Amino acid sequence: MPRRIVIIGAHAAGVDAASAARKTDRTAEITLITKQRQAGYSPCGIPFVLGRHIPSFDKLIVFPQSYFQMMKLNLMLETTATNIDTKAKTVEIQDKTGTQKTLEYDSLILTTGSYPFVPPIKGREKQGVYVLKTIEDGKKIDQAIENSKSAVVVGAGLIGLETAVAFVERGLKTTVVELLPQVLPAMLDADMAKIVQNMLEEKGMRIITGHAVDEILGEEKVTGVSVAGEQIPCDMVVVATGVRANTELAKNAGITIGETRGIKTNMRMETSVKDVYAAGDCAESVHLVTGRPTLSQLGTTAVRQAKVAGTNAAGGYAIFPGVLGSAVTKFFDTEIGVTGLTEFFAKRVGLETVTGTITSKTRPEYYPGGLPIKIKLVVEKETERIVGVQMIGGEQVTQRVNALSFAIQKQMTVRDLAKADTAYAPPLNETWEPMVLAAEIALRKLR
Amino acid sequence: MVKVDGYEVPEGLYYSKDFEWVKIEGDKVRVGITDYAQKQLREIVYAELPSPGTTIKQNEPYGTVESVKAVSDLVAPVSGTIEEVNTEVQSKPEILNEDPYEKGWLLIIKPSNLQAELANLMDFNKAVEWHKSLIK
């Protein structure tokens, strides 16, 4: 009898797990279940549709129906998994008509994702208050933009700022309110965050940090928000205060939830219950610098975990070493990237660090078109290992972040980086690679 | 040739709903995978093909094509006996991505029931409509 693999969730993690499972076992019966009407799209692209960089939401569909057909994957849309029985190895499902069914599995993969967390702000139920998670959310916000002149975004994380940038690009008077004292608090140190904030403010965005939204104002419909005693009028509000792992189903099935409130997994992405795997926003990872569990909740983590989960669920062997939280984004013409620990988070886990910060250019002074690039390197004092980097630049941020992610994964010291062999040609780079210069500055502090 | 949302659909071929094309060449047919198929599969790394002399049957799998992230059965668009296999595809599978309709052909088949089986395939116009429905 063919192996039966059931996957709950059908986006980045679900489909990649299914693909890996299919590559491992050509005859398995692979079933994906999703509550949503559309499977296999890229939610990360939604802010860029709102900003009109991508012409339509349909373009975000990475895996059309034909892909599932080609890979012989049984996709069940608008279907909810209501219960898992890990002893009987069954999943109870219910389709949109209310019809219930029990699926038997040999391996189960939980790619249940995450949901947007909305803090209990007074007035959050009003018309014109949105979250951004699904294509449906994106379409609603897109419609609302057409009928709005101003917007408030609550939360200055990646999604919040990407959305706020899109609002400015669409001509809305946009205010961002962040409870913590800086933008991108999970990604950047305060000094680097200030540069991003200044740039966004120059583009016309208003940013209020260190304050919560006390109330969303209006009768039925939003007319403004109240922040630190000030009333800010607006036609719409987007709440982007982070996502939480969807773990209800796992918890009810007796599967262990970790300290990060994600599903606890081992190196093979197997949960506390045999033959049940987890991947994506709902699953914990190990941080490669701290060795501690972390909830990465990034697209790259999702697909990397899913490949491992899918391979193992189909009888193969694969391990997931962990994450550094490598992430990049682009606000207007500025690229921002991070990998590993910030100085702030390094300190919080007890590491003593030195930093090397440099502002350089992406091409020599004499070559037209060079753009500034700022790099902050975080180095652990005793081992002299690079533990993190933050970068803000006009171009070529992503591959530098990747290079330093590799360096951290290979436990490279700042001394090695200062001697690194790099490539140069006037139209492409400076003779002295900015990452190497940042290493030299950090090194000086270690002498 | 027509492009449907970037997917090439050449004239003069027949198409199966398993993403293969058929080109009639005298009393033989040449088959391969469509541009749509190679774009869905992306970076193709391996094609598992049968040997010449093998008989294949319409709508039944005869091999697989594997990419970095995906794998798909190759399903026979017509029945017949394989006369020739494109060995270049086996040594350089990337030509399936680069040129699926010319250099990336897979098999030359001596068909056994072509006239009747063509009715199960799409002609150019139908294939264009079908591609339009795929991208919806």
Side-chain angles (χ1 to χ4, degrees):
Chain A
M1 195 173 72
R3 187 192 311 269
R4 295 156 305 179
I5 301 171
V6 173
I7 301 169
I8 305 176
H11 284 304
V15 181
D16 271 61
S19 304
R22 170 59 71 228
K23 283 194 64 155
T24 308
D25 184 342
R26 303 290 166 89
T27 60
E29 283 172 13
I30 303 173
T31 304
L32 295 104
I33 300 159
T34 178
K35 279 182 223 180
Q36 294 190 31
R37 243 181 304 174
Q38 183 72 251
Y41 65 80
S42 163
C44 306
I46 297 171
F48 304 96
V49 180
L50 295 177
R52 295 286 192 255
H53 301 278
I54 303 168
S56 77
F57 286 102
D58 294 343
K59 296 280 178 204
L60 300 181
I61 298 165
V62 183
F63 301 105
Q65 291 283 343
S66 58
Y67 182 84
F68 295 91
Q69 183 195 334
M70 267 187 210
M71 298 278 286
K72 288 190 289 186
L73 305 171
N74 175 23
L75 174 65
M76 303 173 91
L77 296 170
E78 294 181 88
T79 303
T80 309
T82 53
N83 192 49
I84 300 166
D85 184 336
T86 60
K87 287 229 163 58
K89 297 184 103 174
T90 56
V91 180
E92 280 165 43
I93 58 167
Q94 186 172 345
D95 70 13
K96 62 172 172 175
T97 66
T99 310
Q100 296 184 347
K101 216 175 129 184
T102 302
L103 299 179
E104 295 181 357
Y105 68 79
D106 296 302
S107 302
L108 176 67
I109 308 176
L110 303 173
T111 56
T112 46
S114 57
Y115 66 94
F117 168 70
V118 179
I121 307 166
K122 196 176 167 204
R124 64 177 182 175
E125 70 295 334
K126 289 190 168 59
Q127 262 178 49
V129 180
Y130 303 95
V131 293
L132 184 52
K133 177 71 183 167
T134 64
I135 279 192
E136 283 79 24
D137 296 333
K139 285 178 177 169
K140 280 185 214 158
I141 293 170
D142 195 48
Q143 269 294 310
I145 293 172
E146 296 293 325
N147 306 313
S148 298
K149 289 195 166 60
S150 58
V152 166
V153 176
V154 186
L158 267 180
I159 307 288
L161 288 184
E162 284 174 356
T163 306
V165 167
F167 288 171
V168 173
E169 287 169 334
R170 294 279 293 275
L172 301 189
K173 188 171 189 292
T174 307
T175 306
V176 177
V177 184
E178 168 60 49
L179 177 67
L180 292 170
Q182 63 165 88
V183 299
L184 299 174
M187 192 170 163
L188 300 178
D189 283 318
D191 53 346
M192 296 294 275
K194 194 67 201 162
I195 296 165
V196 174
Q197 183 170 342
N198 290 346
M199 179 277 293
L200 293 172
E201 285 168 346
E202 268 169 35
K203 296 278 183 185
M205 197 184 290
R206 184 181 174 199
I207 299 175
I208 301 167
T209 57
H211 292 286
V213 170
D214 297 314
E215 190 180 346
I216 296 170
L217 308 166
E219 294 290 316
E220 272 178 29
K221 200 186 169 309
V222 170
T223 57
V225 300
S226 166
V227 179
E230 185 194 351
Q231 293 199 358
I232 302 166
C234 67
D235 304 317
M236 62 187 291
V237 172
V238 171
V239 182
T241 45
V243 296
R244 297 271 165 93
N246 279 323
T247 56
E248 273 304 296
L249 205 55
K251 207 185 290 177
N252 293 341
I255 292 163
T256 306
I257 307 302
E259 63 190 78
T260 66
R261 288 188 279 184
I263 299 169
K264 206 173 167 61
T265 57
N266 65 17
M267 284 183 90
R268 295 184 66 178
M269 298 315 296
E270 195 169 27
T271 67
S272 62
V273 173
K274 195 178 175 300
D275 297 327
V276 181
Y277 298 82
D281 278 7
C282 66
E284 272 187 350
S285 313
V286 168
H287 195 285
L288 289 169
V289 174
T290 65
R292 304 290 309 159
T294 182
L295 207 49
S296 163
Q297 299 186 318
L298 294 164
T300 41
T301 303
V303 297
R304 289 170 54 220
Q305 289 180 333
K307 187 179 178 193
V308 171
T311 303
N312 288 320
Y317 174 78
I319 61 162
F320 183 69
V323 300
L324 282 176
S326 308
V328 287
T329 190
K330 189 174 182 187
F331 300 151
F332 302 106
D333 298 323
T334 301
E335 301 174 5
I336 298 145
V338 63
T339 184
L341 299 176
T342 59
E343 193 181 359
F344 176 84
F345 282 104
K347 194 173 175 188
R348 228 171 66 169
V349 295
L351 297 182
E352 290 195 15
T353 58
V354 297
T355 62
T357 304
I358 181 116
T359 304
S360 183
K361 283 190 104 182
T362 55
R363 295 171 210 181
E365 275 306 325
Y366 60 80
Y367 198 95
L371 297 168
I373 184 159
K374 192 177 183 85
I375 299 179
K376 177 174 178 176
L377 211 56
V378 184
V379 178
E380 196 278 323
K381 255 184 175 172
E382 191 180 37
T383 60
E384 301 185 344
R385 279 182 195 150
I386 306 155
V387 294
V389 67
Q390 297 153 67
M391 229 176 275
I392 301 168
E395 61 182 350
Q396 299 165 6
V397 163
T398 306
Q399 296 314 328
R400 285 195 171 91
V401 166
N402 284 343
L404 289 172
S405 168
F406 303 156
I408 298 170
Q409 287 172 63
K410 298 313 285 182
Q411 306 192 325
M412 194 182 201
T413 69
V414 68
R415 249 169 241 288
D416 294 330
L417 181 59
K419 301 283 179 194
D421 178 83
T422 59
Y424 153 72
L428 299 169
N429 200 5
E430 261 284 21
T431 38
W432 282 106
E433 160 57 41
M435 292 187 282
V436 171
L437 295 180
E440 291 214 40
I441 295 198
L443 203 52
R444 204 176 303 169
K445 296 182 188 171
L446 286 168
R447 276 180 196 145
Chain B
M1 191 196 54
V2 166
K3 272 197 176 188
V4 181
D5 199 37
Y7 301 109
E8 292 181 6
V9 185
E11 278 124 336
L13 304 180
Y14 289 88
Y15 296 86
S16 80
K17 286 197 174 172
D18 293 302
F19 312 94
E20 298 214 0
W21 54 263
V22 171
K23 188 181 182 188
I24 298 171
E25 296 178 345
D27 62 346
K28 288 175 191 154
V29 299
R30 194 184 290 262
V31 307
I33 64 168
T34 61
D35 185 44
Y36 183 88
Q38 70 83 8
K39 281 183 172 135
Q40 290 302 320
L41 292 164
R42 301 183 60 174
E43 301 80 10
I44 293 171
V45 292
Y46 182 66
E48 187 182 5
L49 299 172
S51 312
T54 311
T55 46
I56 59 173
K57 211 167 159 236
Q58 190 177 41
N59 298 332
E60 287 188 4
Y62 64 84
T64 55
V65 57
E66 186 168 355
S67 66
V68 175
K69 294 288 171 198
V71 61
S72 183
D73 280 343
L74 294 164
V75 179
V78 295
S79 308
T81 307
I82 296 171
E83 297 246 313
E84 209 178 316
V85 173
N86 188 353
T87 50
E88 205 189 343
V89 162
Q90 289 169 313
S91 56
K92 284 195 275 178
E94 65 271 19
I95 62 175
L96 281 170
N97 292 118
E98 289 161 6
D99 195 4
Y101 293 113
E102 296 288 339
K103 280 189 188 157
W105 64 273
L106 295 174
L107 308 173
I108 293 173
I109 299 167
K110 191 164 175 59
S112 54
N113 192 18
L114 188 61
Q115 283 319 309
E117 288 181 347
L118 278 182
N120 304 327
L121 300 177
M122 293 174 279
D123 62 14
F124 169 74
N125 288 327
K126 278 187 186 154
V128 168
E129 289 312 305
W130 182 64
H131 275 79
K132 283 180 186 166
S133 75
L134 284 176
I135 58 165
K136 264 185 197 152

